[in-house]
Amino acid sequence: MEQEKIFRFAIMGAGGIAEKFCDAVNRLENMEVVAVASKSLERAEQFAKKNHVAKAYDSYEQMLKDADPDGVYIATTPNYHFELTMLCLDYKKPVLCEKAMLVNAKEAEEVFRRSKELGVFVMEGMWSRFLPHNIVAKQWLEEGKIGNVELAEINIGFPAGNDPKNRFNNPELAGGAATDVTVYCFELMTYFLDRPIRDMHTYMIRSETGVDKTEQISILYDNCIANMHASIAARFNDEAVFYGTDGKIVVPLVHYGQECILYRDQEEPVHFQDQTENGFVFEIQEMVDCVRRGEVQSKTAPHEMTIRCAEMFDQLMGRKE
């Protein structure tokens, strides 16, 4: 049997999240990171040396021309995501872009229209949808283990500090709770409860730097209410809870954890625990598999997921057509 060709990744951005990506690629077969680019050549070279990447660049476009990768991982702050995704599409390079991929619906629609026109794969890096504990929790919900879900909650929050220049508080970097944690709440809730939304209300308060710091999203489904709370100003319990007519499902550390628990009336709890060391491996494998099959989007993290979230951002921020 012929050995599969090695899939060659390039990375845009040289921060900590890109290091986690490199580690995950190294854990997978027939894949490697061959190049990294940053606005700072020194930073790119330091990253390349530390993570055993062959080439470093201070130009994203030059990297695409020179390294000619099979796919690109965009690991910059969200303010650059649209521009860099469109640049990759100009060179017909498949994209895995870190969340939040796009900050408004206009950008999202333009990116995915271009993706489909060119037949080039694009996916937001919502890695949490691929984690085993969330897949199990979703299966329990779909199998009716807790009957009809009456109320669902996802709460994610942490204090990001008051430094106006850090990426959380800086509006120029598209900072704020929405692009960092609310994106998890919304894209996980719509994963667990994949059904038509009847109505949605959003509430938000801003920080002194002008970014959104704490928010609530409330969704009304046909027979269920879902509430999401997110903050970069206060610590929340970072969990999802689904309350049903026959029990409940609890998912601790929903966006990065390894366990879920099923509670049913009059029965012993069922506890699922996963041992994966780097959860990025699942979304990376998904991207490579989709590209090799010639697909433009993932079924688990489709274009529609990102478009709906970008529309929610517009509603949250009070932006109108």
Side-chain angles (χ1 to χ4, degrees):
M1 183 175 173
E2 189 178 342
Q3 187 175 0
E4 204 161 35
K5 184 184 172 189
I6 289 177
F7 192 97
R8 301 164 61 258
F9 277 104
I11 298 177
M12 294 179 169
I17 201 79
E19 289 195 11
K20 183 170 182 177
F21 181 86
C22 276
D23 176 76
V25 169
N26 289 336
R27 294 169 185 267
L28 294 163
E29 293 183 359
N30 298 318
M31 301 179 204
E32 65 179 337
V33 177
V34 297
V36 61
S38 170
K39 288 194 168 182
S40 161
L41 182 58
E42 182 184 7
R43 192 172 185 194
E45 288 176 339
Q46 288 174 348
F47 182 96
K49 184 177 179 181
K50 182 178 180 182
N51 295 280
H52 309 290
V53 176
K55 294 184 178 180
Y57 300 84
D58 60 2
S59 164
Y60 299 121
E61 186 166 12
Q62 192 60 44
M63 179 180 69
L64 293 178
K65 290 179 182 176
D66 185 43
D68 191 24
D70 300 310
V72 178
Y73 172 59
I74 299 175
T76 64
T77 46
N79 55 305
Y80 296 115
H81 287 177
F82 173 74
E83 171 191 343
L84 292 180
T85 300
M86 294 299 279
L87 176 64
C88 290
L89 288 173
D90 285 343
Y91 284 85
K92 297 185 178 179
K93 298 301 180 186
V95 173
L96 175 64
C97 181
E98 194 47 57
K99 58 82 200 162
M101 183 176 181
L102 300 158
V103 298
N104 61 61
K106 183 180 178 184
E107 287 185 352
E109 286 161 3
E110 189 171 344
V111 161
F112 296 123
R113 181 171 60 248
R114 184 89 172 124
S115 163
K116 287 171 181 170
E117 283 173 0
L118 295 172
V120 176
F121 178 88
V122 176
M123 183 176 88
E124 180 174 9
M126 182 41 63
W127 68 300
S128 307
R129 281 193 172 204
F130 298 91
L131 295 177
H133 73 299
N134 285 333
I135 292 172
V136 169
K138 181 178 172 67
Q139 286 174 343
W140 286 343
L141 289 167
E142 291 176 346
E143 290 166 2
K145 297 286 190 185
I146 60 169
N148 181 61
V149 179
E150 297 289 328
L151 180 69
E153 294 181 342
I154 296 181
N155 303 305
I156 303 174
F158 69 98
N162 298 315
D163 181 356
K165 293 182 180 178
N166 76 20
R167 69 179 180 87
F168 305 106
N169 297 317
N170 189 340
E172 292 182 5
L173 300 179
T179 55
D180 199 77
V181 285
T182 310
V183 59
Y184 279 122
C185 294
F186 187 82
E187 292 185 0
L188 282 172
M189 187 65 81
T190 53
Y191 167 73
F192 289 121
L193 301 178
D194 185 12
R195 56 189 76 175
I197 294 173
R198 278 182 54 192
D199 198 8
M200 179 168 66
H201 291 272
T202 62
Y203 309 90
M204 175 265 287
I205 52 177
R206 294 191 184 274
S207 72
E208 291 179 359
T209 65
V211 302
D212 55 301
K213 65 175 182 175
T214 301
E215 43 228 20
Q216 173 178 313
I217 318 297
S218 294
I219 291 176
L220 176 64
Y221 294 105
D222 276 342
N223 55 358
C224 172
I225 296 169
N227 290 318
M228 291 146 276
H229 302 94
S231 181
I232 56 168
R235 190 169 304 285
F236 295 171
N237 54 7
D238 291 2
E239 70 177 8
V241 185
F242 302 90
Y243 300 93
T245 50
D246 299 326
K248 71 176 180 179
I249 294 168
V250 179
V251 190
L253 307 178
V254 60
H255 55 313
Y256 65 93
Q258 296 181 308
E259 62 181 325
C260 55
I261 307 105
L262 169 65
Y263 299 91
R264 284 165 55 91
D265 299 342
Q266 314 299 321
E267 294 181 15
E268 284 294 311
V270 177
H271 190 179
F272 171 85
Q273 186 123 24
D274 176 52
Q275 302 296 328
T276 304
E277 292 181 358
N278 186 335
F280 272 28
V281 295
F282 303 111
E283 68 170 4
I284 295 169
Q285 189 67 61
E286 171 79 355
M287 175 190 181
V288 172
D289 289 346
C290 287
V291 171
R292 285 175 170 159
R293 290 193 297 262
E295 296 167 0
V296 298
Q297 62 182 313
S298 159
K299 290 183 174 65
T300 303
H303 295 175
E304 183 64 21
M305 171 194 78
T306 302
I307 292 170
R308 284 202 295 178
C309 189
E311 290 171 344
M312 182 274 290
F313 286 162
D314 285 346
Q315 181 176 335
L316 185 69
M317 302 300 171
R319 294 189 287 252
K320 296 180 179 178
E321 287 294 319

